[in-house]
Amino acid sequence: MMYQEGFVEVTGGRVWYEIYNKDAKGTPVVILHGGPGSSTYSLKGLKALGEDRPVVMYDQLGCGKSDRPDDLSLWKIDRFVEELGQVREALKLTEVHILGHSWGTTLAAAYVLTKPIGVKSVIFSSPCLSAPMWEEDQKRNIAKLPTEVQETILRCEESGETDSAEFHDAIKAFNKEFVFRGEPDLEWIKAGAGMRNPVVYEMMWGPSEFTVKGNLKTFDCTQQLSRIECSTLYTCGRFDEATPESTQYYAQMTPASEVHVFESSAHMAYIEEPEEYLRVIGEFLEKVDCKV
């Protein structure tokens, strides 16, 4: 399988990319990782989509193997949209599928709504297309946890003690229910932690998952989803913090869209149900490519 990696110059610095199965004939799929300020680290299994197409991954500016500039003005969604266009241009990706996960779906939606040429489909995996809806969903999710966990999360958020040990313990309880239901690989988690940049996350989202205090606070593209013209797939886990209810709502607002819920997963179906995830995504991409 032909492999290529390198750097692309974008506004603010260089981003690192890798391409699996570079010479395959199928339409490339570009993977947009979550965060903001995370990396492609946890998504490496998606290279298996490269049986018949190139799979393109890149660490967004500020995280992973990409440059980490100190200019805080760079951490806004419009620049990330511009960055995706610059990556496509540099790598000569004239026709693409786009797969975003979590914050990657926010970016994918904002990008697709600029009406770029050559996007054959978009996949919103565990979508966050409205920060206000996300907040409301997390309030409902927190209410499903044990009372003491609920109280800790609410108290620490109100007091600003989101760096405390008890808040981190409460987050673990939340994550076990709504983010990743498997047994954590501590070595893997430790290795991935160094790929993150919390500055980007806090600037754009805030100090915690539950309350948006960053510059994405008012992001909501739900009323614009009717403008998406390419084939669209929404996916989430049955127990996802990106809830099935909100995912269905987004799909209802989007023409030419379909939905798949992974019944045994939370937010990381690509790790929790990897074979099923690859099957669903692969079949969707193949179906779109076969359209006349």
Side-chain angles (χ1 to χ4, degrees), residues 46-256:
L46 298 187
K47 66 184 181 183
L49 292 169
E51 278 190 21
D52 52 6
R53 72 184 67 252
V55 178
V56 182
M57 301 190 196
Y58 71 97
D59 291 336
Q60 295 154 24
L61 190 69
C63 63
K65 296 180 181 179
S66 296
D67 288 349
R68 300 192 178 201
D70 295 327
D71 183 356
L72 298 182
S73 71
L74 295 168
W75 313 136
K76 53 189 178 184
I77 192 167
D78 289 349
R79 196 213 56 82
F80 283 99
V81 168
E82 181 183 25
E83 174 182 282
L84 174 52
Q86 291 167 331
V87 169
R88 279 189 67 190
E89 183 177 4
L91 300 181
K92 297 180 170 56
L93 301 171
T94 54
E95 277 202 328
V96 294
H97 302 283
I98 294 176
L99 188 163
H101 180 259
S102 197
W103 139 257
T105 67
T106 313
L107 173 55
Y111 178 74
V112 170
L113 287 168
T114 68
K115 299 292 183 182
I117 296 171
V119 177
K120 293 179 71 173
S121 79
V122 60
I123 300 167
F124 295 114
S125 173
S126 297
C128 176
L129 304 184
S130 166
M133 282 181 62
W134 183 275
E135 278 196 353
E136 291 303 313
D137 283 343
Q138 301 331 306
K139 288 177 183 176
R140 285 187 281 271
N141 285 337
I142 290 170
K144 298 174 184 178
L145 297 171
T147 303
E148 62 272 19
V149 176
Q150 295 182 45
E151 291 174 348
T152 298
I153 290 173
L154 296 175
R155 186 178 71 253
C156 290
E157 281 221 308
E158 286 175 6
S159 65
E161 297 176 89
T162 51
D163 285 333
S164 67
E166 61 175 344
F167 186 74
H168 287 173
D169 287 343
I171 294 300
K172 287 179 183 177
F174 178 92
N175 289 349
K176 182 68 175 176
E177 194 69 26
F178 302 111
V179 178
F180 179 67
R181 296 195 138 208
E183 287 302 316
D185 181 334
L186 298 181
E187 288 299 315
W188 182 83
I189 292 172
K190 184 178 178 182
M195 306 293 278
R196 296 176 176 272
N197 186 344
V199 173
V200 180
Y201 185 85
E202 291 202 18
M203 275 289 299
M204 299 186 71
W205 195 257
S208 85
E209 189 85 352
F210 314 117
T211 307
V212 191
K213 295 183 177 180
N215 58 38
L216 288 172
K217 183 174 180 61
T218 59
F219 180 86
D220 187 337
C221 68
T222 51
Q223 299 307 310
Q224 297 170 275
L225 294 175
S226 61
R227 293 171 43 208
I228 295 179
E229 297 173 352
C230 61
S231 298
T232 306
L233 173 64
Y234 287 91
T235 74
C236 68
R238 176 60 64 191
F239 310 100
D240 207 324
E241 57 181 340
T243 65
E245 293 79 12
S246 288
T247 302
Q248 292 279 359
Y249 172 76
Y250 298 143
Q252 289 167 11
M253 303 290 281
T254 312

